[in-house]
Amino acid sequence: MKPLRVAIVGSGPSGFFAAGNLLEQDDIEVQVDVFDRLPTPFGLIRYGVAPDHPAIKSVTKIFDRTAQHEGFRYFGNVEVATDVQASELAQWYDAVIYAIGASGGRRLEVDGAWLPGNHPSSDFVGWYNGHPDRRELDVDLGVERAVVIGNGNVALDAARILVTDPAKLSDTDMADHALAALRNSSVREVVVLGRRGAEQAAFTPAEVAELGKLPGVDVIVDPADVPAEDKERDKARPPVERNNLKQLRRLAALEPGGADRRIVLKFLRSVVGIGAGEDGASVATVSVARNELVEGTDGTVEAQPTGAVTEHEAGLVIHAVGYHGTPIPGIPFDTERGVFSNADSRIVGYDGEPLVGHYVVGWIKRGPSGVIPTNRDCARDTVSVLLADVAAGRIERSSYDAAQVERLIVDRVPDLVEYDGWMAIDAHETALAEEHGRPRVKLTSVDAMVDAAQRPSE
Ligand code: NAP
């Protein structure tokens, strides 16, 4: 019996969890080829998780073990849509799982949102994490006040990074260009604006508690913005909401300590316009509308403007209002949700029928939600649907074999980076970091990565 051959597009957590799950199957032999458009694997683990949260990145040890499996191959620096087409993968493999995440950042649709000084969180986070596409981003930190729009964990990451003492970041794997910019930063205040109330915040308790522990940073929360403790009422709240409120009450009760830097958490506020300075060249002000909560038609709690609008100085605006996926030619896309059109982990055509042999996992399936382990369960679901389709004879087996496909890819992509190449990059980055007591010094250009991948081991 020929092994089942599966291509996984995207080497972030959802792609790697899917690969691991497939390769652990006992009753079917599976060969998995994982593609990534960058030479480096791990997606958001490398380019999304904040550098001061190293523990979260240790999941890559599991992925390294997956990569040691004899049925595993990594094809890095291969972009599906340019180097290889989706239609070709469909021919070359028995099944294809798309795990490309949601790399596009949403931006508020208000006047002034495209002025220099505005950055979607995807750009800002990619910049400080050394993503090759974002290394040239012009992040001007020569401003005193920054505004972060949104109330999720990405908003808190952005706010925390902007005010953390750079000395505390210099032993992380933050990109060198970002460290240099933060060392010279003039940012003294970061205002985080949630359009709904404290009870509806999307961030989680550990992340908001962490803000209160930052040395040299005051965290300001207006007690009027946080519902007072009410044991009965609090007991009935979902745990995240209950614990967020606990942390917010604690922060609201603190007296500002006259610290050099501060984070101000404000609720029921929406940015409704962004203004330029006198030269018209970049962000100088934000217009902020006051909201009240109303019940939406579907029972959700929505923000509605009261009509009160105030203007505030701000030289940097981070839009941390979510992410969206990027389409790939030939794969049906749900533009509203920013995901590949899918049902029960299968990609579906515009007629609603499954595209045989095509699956999704992670953010390109569910949208940008959940934490890293959420993708483990998501991958399990996708793989079980795929294997059920195989068992039921619903997918057509490919006539290609592993060696043929490798030849095709090597011909197309002279600078292909396989897992050994990634391990050479990894060794190079960690060697660069050793004398500085850092976990790694990231290479931030694809050329430098390819160069390190091709260098004989040091
Ligand atoms: P998120 O948790 O979905 O938060 C998005 C925020 O943007 C919400 O507060 C949302 O408010 C707000 N928003 C959306 N549209 C808006 C608009 N037009 N105007 C104003 N606000 C708007 O997304 P995220 O922060 O990007 O995080 C993505 C996922 O990664 C989440 O699951 C998050 O927990 C996870 N993550 C985890 C960590 C960690 O574990 N440390 C770190 C980073 C990210 P509404 O609620 O009102 O819509």
Side-chain angles (χ1 to χ4, degrees):
M1 179 78 173
K2 271 172 52 174
L4 179 72
R5 296 185 45 258
V6 180
I8 297 181
V9 183
S11 69
S14 66
F16 254 100
F17 280 130
N21 197 307
L22 280 164
L23 292 166
E24 279 159 18
Q25 297 298 319
D26 287 330
D27 38 11
I28 179 164
E29 189 193 343
V30 188
Q31 292 177 344
V32 175
D33 291 347
V34 173
F35 290 78
D36 203 291
R37 75 184 185 88
L38 290 177
T40 49
F42 308 145
L44 274 189
I45 303 289
R46 182 173 164 105
Y47 296 117
V49 173
D52 55 346
H53 283 171
I56 299 179
K57 300 182 193 223
S58 60
V59 68
T60 59
K61 292 197 184 101
I62 299 174
F63 303 156
D64 278 335
R65 282 202 294 280
T66 297
Q68 297 318 310
H69 199 288
E70 61 175 333
F72 178 94
R73 292 190 302 191
Y74 176 65
F75 293 140
N77 206 23
V78 182
E79 184 162 25
V80 175
T82 53
D83 299 311
V84 172
Q85 299 306 316
S87 54
E88 292 176 309
L89 292 182
Q91 277 181 359
W92 297 350
Y93 292 91
D94 300 323
V96 186
I97 301 178
Y98 285 90
I100 62 168
S103 55
R106 294 191 190 275
R107 189 189 287 255
L108 225 58
E109 290 175 28
V110 295
D111 283 350
W114 289 89
L115 281 168
N118 284 285
H119 302 284
S121 56
S122 55
D123 284 354
F124 182 62
V125 170
W127 171 77
Y128 65 63
N129 277 322
H131 192 293
D133 293 352
R134 272 90 182 212
R135 64 198 286 258
E136 307 285 359
L137 194 73
D138 184 9
V139 180
D140 182 359
L141 299 182
V143 303
E144 281 219 4
R145 184 187 285 135
V147 163
V148 178
I149 306 168
N151 243 345
N153 281 328
V154 171
L156 297 195
D157 278 351
R160 191 181 69 252
I161 291 293
L162 281 168
V163 295
T164 296
D165 178 353
K168 297 252 171 275
L169 296 170
S170 57
D171 61 357
T172 71
D173 67 359
M174 173 175 274
D176 283 348
H177 56 245
L179 262 179
L182 286 162
R183 284 196 188 105
N184 290 318
S185 169
S186 307
V187 175
R188 291 293 169 267
E189 180 170 283
V190 181
V191 184
V192 181
L193 299 175
R195 66 175 165 184
R196 297 191 290 160
E199 292 159 281
Q200 290 80 35
F203 50 65
T204 42
E207 281 63 29
V208 71
E210 188 181 1
L211 299 183
K213 296 179 195 145
L214 292 175
V217 178
D218 282 338
V219 182
I220 315 292
V221 178
D222 182 347
D225 274 350
V226 189
E229 187 176 358
D230 172 339
K231 287 205 166 68
E232 279 310 299
R233 170 84 187 87
D234 288 344
K235 225 186 317 171
R237 296 180 192 277
V240 168
E241 182 180 316
R242 181 169 60 240
N243 290 317
N244 272 347
L245 292 179
K246 198 166 143 191
Q247 296 303 334
L248 289 168
R249 286 181 197 123
R250 209 175 50 75
L251 292 171
L254 294 175
E255 280 297 318
D260 186 36
R261 298 176 181 217
R262 49 195 237 154
I263 294 177
V264 184
L265 300 180
K266 284 186 179 284
F267 299 91
L268 294 169
R269 306 289 204 292
S270 286
V271 170
V272 289
I274 299 169
E278 273 171 23
D279 59 0
S282 62
V283 172
T285 59
V286 287
S287 299
V288 178
R290 184 85 212 208
N291 297 329
E292 60 190 358
L293 296 176
V294 293
E295 195 169 318
T297 40
D298 55 358
T300 53
V301 177
E302 289 176 7
Q304 177 175 280
T306 61
V309 176
T310 46
E311 194 177 272
H312 306 267
E313 280 178 22
L316 173 68
V317 179
I318 309 290
H319 300 237
V321 293
Y323 291 74
H324 61 83
T326 307
I328 283 184
I331 305 295
F333 194 75
D334 177 340
T335 37
E336 203 167 304
R337 294 185 55 220
V339 300
F340 285 174
S341 304
N342 71 89
D344 198 15
S345 304
R346 298 181 182 94
I347 297 182
V348 295
Y350 293 113
D351 58 1
E353 289 299 313
L355 231 63
V356 175
H358 289 71
Y359 304 86
V360 270
V361 68
W363 281 11
I364 199 63
K365 165 177 154 183
R366 322 186 300 272
S369 65
V371 289
I372 309 284
T374 314
N375 294 296
R376 191 194 315 257
D377 298 340
C378 184
R380 191 177 305 129
D381 292 345
T382 298
V383 168
S384 67
V385 169
L386 186 159
L387 293 176
D389 284 352
V390 173
R394 280 193 282 266
I395 66 165
E396 204 181 315
R397 303 295 289 261
S398 165
S399 60
Y400 286 75
D401 67 25
Q404 274 172 301
V405 169
E406 180 158 18
R407 276 196 298 277
L408 284 164
I409 291 166
V410 168
D411 272 359
R412 291 251 185 117
V413 186
D415 286 337
L416 174 69
V417 175
E418 297 189 65
Y419 212 75
D420 285 354
W422 153 243
M423 286 178 15
I425 297 171
D426 183 43
H428 181 69
E429 290 186 335
T430 45
L432 285 177
E434 218 162 277
E435 64 176 293
H436 307 289
R438 299 176 61 188
R440 73 174 61 244
V441 172
K442 282 183 181 172
L443 300 178
T444 59
S445 82
V446 169
D447 286 348
M449 292 171 186
V450 168
D451 193 43
Q454 292 172 349
R455 209 174 297 163
S457 58
E458 290 161 37

